[in-house]
Amino acid sequence: MQKTTCSRLTARFEGEVQGVGFRWRAVRLVRERFPGVTGEVRNEFDGSVSLVAEGPEGELRRLYACLMSAQFADGIETARHCCEPAGARRYEVFSAR
């Protein structure tokens, strides 16, 4: 059996992303289409939204592509992301804060 590696996706979205349901749509997207992904999405004080997701690398890449798709990305002016090895903190679910 091949071992599945976990990775971490860290992303920050800027633009009109607070107060428009972005976090809740992200939670629904992850829970419906990426059940093996855990983490959180939250509003930041500067008006941006940050996301930390952990799971299989391929799933994280597909998740980011979905978040940047035309139907989801209304209001995003800029987005930055990086993929890295999963951190010491382990999430049990994907949630909004």
Side-chain angles (χ1 to χ4, degrees), residues 54-71:
E54 292 184 346
E57 185 176 353
E59 293 289 290
L60 297 178
R61 291 186 188 283
R62 286 189 288 282
L63 169 60
Y64 186 75
C66 286
L67 291 170
M68 295 307 297
S69 69
Q71 78 180 61

Side-chain angles (χ1 to χ4, degrees), residues 2-71:
Q2 185 177 7
K3 183 180 174 187
T4 303
T5 60
C6 280
S7 295
R8 174 180 280 179
L9 167 69
T10 303
R12 190 171 199 100
F13 304 93
E14 297 173 343
E16 193 174 323
V17 291
Q18 288 192 11
V20 295
F22 182 88
R23 291 178 304 141
W24 302 111
R25 288 185 297 152
V27 168
R28 190 173 77 199
L29 173 69
V30 170
R31 289 182 179 170
E32 290 177 358
R33 295 184 53 192
F34 303 95
V37 172
T38 61
E40 68 182 19
V41 59
R42 67 181 182 180
N43 287 340
E44 299 294 345
F45 289 111
D46 65 1
S48 66
V49 171
S50 64
L51 175 139
V52 176
E54 292 184 346
E57 185 176 353
E59 293 289 290
L60 297 178
R61 291 186 188 283
R62 286 189 288 282
L63 169 60
Y64 186 75
C66 286
L67 291 170
M68 295 307 297
S69 69
Q71 78 180 61

